[in-house]
Amino acid sequence: RNMERLTLACGGSPIHSVEDLDASQLGYCGKVSEVSLGDDKFTFVEECKHPKSCTLLLQGPNVHTIDQIKDAVRDGLRAVKNAVEDRALVPGAGAFELAAAMNLRENVAKVTKGRPKLGVEAYAEALLVIPKTLAENSGFDVQDCILNLTDAREDSGGSLAVGLDCTTGDPMIPADEGVWDNVRVKRQCLHLSTVLASQLLLVDEVMRAGKQMGRVPEGAE
């Protein structure tokens, strides 16, 4: 693995013997040094011309702090990777869930007839779990926050993505504050939640059918 990283950082290509060595297979780095940090020794390869790989050195007062920093860096890098691959972002701070829930209630539910309409309303209510959780974790009244967000989006005519400011509890524009979510994360959440809900309903149907199988039909001896 270190050989692969050196190849990406310095250029060149790995060879199996010095007899196959050629100038075109060589890489370049301006400085190589061995540095002792605590009880460990690290080899630093620096001043590369066209590096395509790097190593982040994380330091902290204890193991717990280092693990927290490592998780934060990993999450940040994955979020950037997802954004680059998707070539799109979704407004965060609960703005997407609020807009989706209002669209289901105002447009989809009105044209849906019968029992499926209850499912649409339940799905819309479930989407509001995200902004409700943000409000609750921030120490604000959940109902007031949801009502304020709904009013702010209605006042904009549904044209603005309105999210929750976790500092003040007031509605805000996530795009102006730089609060974004990954498209694939939202897509996966919607897909998995729908599949899981369908599976749970299927289990209920199977259990209900099993109970009815043991009953004696009315009028039978």
Side-chain angles (χ1 to χ4, degrees), residues 103-137:
N103 180 70
L104 288 175
R105 287 175 173 172
E106 296 174 0
N107 300 322
V108 180
K110 291 181 179 180
V111 298
T112 305
K113 305 298 181 181
R115 297 183 65 180
K117 185 173 185 177
L118 299 177
V120 174
E121 293 177 353
Y123 202 101
E125 184 65 25
L127 285 171
L128 294 178
V129 168
I130 300 300
K132 286 181 179 179
T133 303
L134 290 175
E136 184 177 1
N137 291 344

Side-chain angles (χ1 to χ4, degrees), residues 91-103 105-106 127-136 138 140-174:
F96 168 77
E97 289 78 9
L98 177 69
M102 293 182 64
N103 180 70
R105 287 175 173 172
E106 296 174 0
L127 285 171
L128 294 178
V129 168
I130 300 300
K132 286 181 179 179
T133 303
L134 290 175
E136 184 177 1
S138 301
F140 300 108
D141 185 87
V142 175
Q143 292 183 346
D144 289 342
C145 290
I146 296 300
L147 291 174
N148 292 335
L149 291 175
T150 304
D151 293 340
R153 180 166 175 81
E154 290 178 348
D155 293 340
S156 68
S159 60
L160 290 179
V162 181
L164 178 67
D165 190 335
C166 294
T167 303
T168 62
D170 298 327
M172 61 94 169
I173 308 300

Side-chain angles (χ1 to χ4, degrees), residues 194-204:
T194 305
V195 171
L196 291 175
S198 300
Q199 292 297 323
L200 290 174
L201 293 175
L202 180 61
V203 171
D204 291 341

Side-chain angles (χ1 to χ4, degrees), residues 20-91:
D20 300 330
L21 186 62
D22 187 272
S24 61
Q25 297 174 321
L26 298 177
Y28 174 85
C29 73
K31 180 181 178 182
V32 179
S33 59
E34 186 177 73
V35 180
S36 296
L37 297 174
D39 297 332
D40 300 322
K41 292 184 179 180
F42 298 89
T43 301
F44 284 77
V45 180
E46 304 173 284
E47 300 178 8
C48 300
K49 288 185 176 180
H50 304 289
K52 296 182 179 179
S53 176
C54 67
T55 300
L56 299 178
L57 178 61
L58 305 178
Q59 294 179 286
N62 49 59
V63 177
H64 176 71
T65 302
I66 295 177
D67 290 339
Q68 294 292 320
I69 299 175
K70 187 188 301 182
D71 292 339
V73 171
R74 184 183 294 112
D75 292 342
L77 291 176
R78 287 177 178 174
V80 173
K81 173 180 175 294
N82 292 338
V84 172
E85 292 180 352
D86 291 336
R87 296 185 178 182
L89 290 170
V90 177

